[in-house]
Amino acid sequence: MLTTDEVLNLNYYKKITYTGWMGGMRFLIQREAPEEGDAIFHVWVWPGPYIFDLTADERKFDATFPFTEEGKQQAVDWINAQFEEHKSLWPKRKTDEN
C-alpha cells in the first residue's frame, strides 16, 4: 500500500508531477492551479505497463482533492482504494507480490 510519506511534501508538487507503480497499477499525482479558486491535487490511476500519455483515456480513473496535507492523504487513500477495487485490471508480473 502507498503511504503519504512516499508521495513527498506539498512543495514538490509546485514544480513537478509524481508518478509511481504499485502491483501492476500506475499512478500520477499533480497539482493544478486554476486561474480562480484554490489549487487541487489531480490524481489518475491506470493499468501498466505503459506511461500516462500512451494509455487510452478510457482506461484511466481520476479524482481531485484539495491541495492540502489532508487532500494529500485523501489522494493516497483513493489510490489505495482503486488498487483494491480494480485488482483484476492491473497486469501481473513475476516480481509482483500482489
Side-chain angles (χ1 to χ4, degrees):
M1 299 306 272
L2 189 65
T3 67
T4 56
D5 291 337
E6 293 173 289
V7 296
L8 308 172
N9 65 50
L10 296 181
N11 286 330
Y12 176 88
Y13 295 95
K14 292 179 180 178
K15 296 183 181 186
I16 195 162
T17 61
Y18 183 83
T19 60
W21 175 276
M22 186 168 71
M25 180 187 78
R26 302 224 27 163
F27 62 87
L28 181 147
I29 304 169
Q30 76 177 24
R31 177 183 181 263
E32 292 180 0
E35 289 185 27
E36 294 184 23
D38 296 329
I40 60 169
F41 281 111
H42 197 162
V43 184
W44 291 265
V45 298
W46 67 95
Y50 300 111
I51 64 172
F52 186 82
D53 291 340
L54 295 179
T55 302
D57 288 343
E58 59 269 9
R59 299 193 73 204
K60 300 172 190 171
F61 299 91
D62 72 309
T64 59
F65 306 94
F67 187 72
T68 62
E69 286 295 333
E70 182 179 280
K72 184 174 82 166
Q73 180 63 57
Q74 292 170 347
V76 168
D77 292 344
W78 182 82
I79 290 169
N80 287 330
Q82 295 305 300
F83 179 75
E84 292 299 325
E85 188 176 329
H86 302 289
K87 272 194 170 185
S88 64
L89 297 178
W90 318 135
K92 298 293 181 197
R93 301 179 313 170
K94 289 181 182 179
T95 59
D96 286 341
E97 294 179 20
N98 299 342

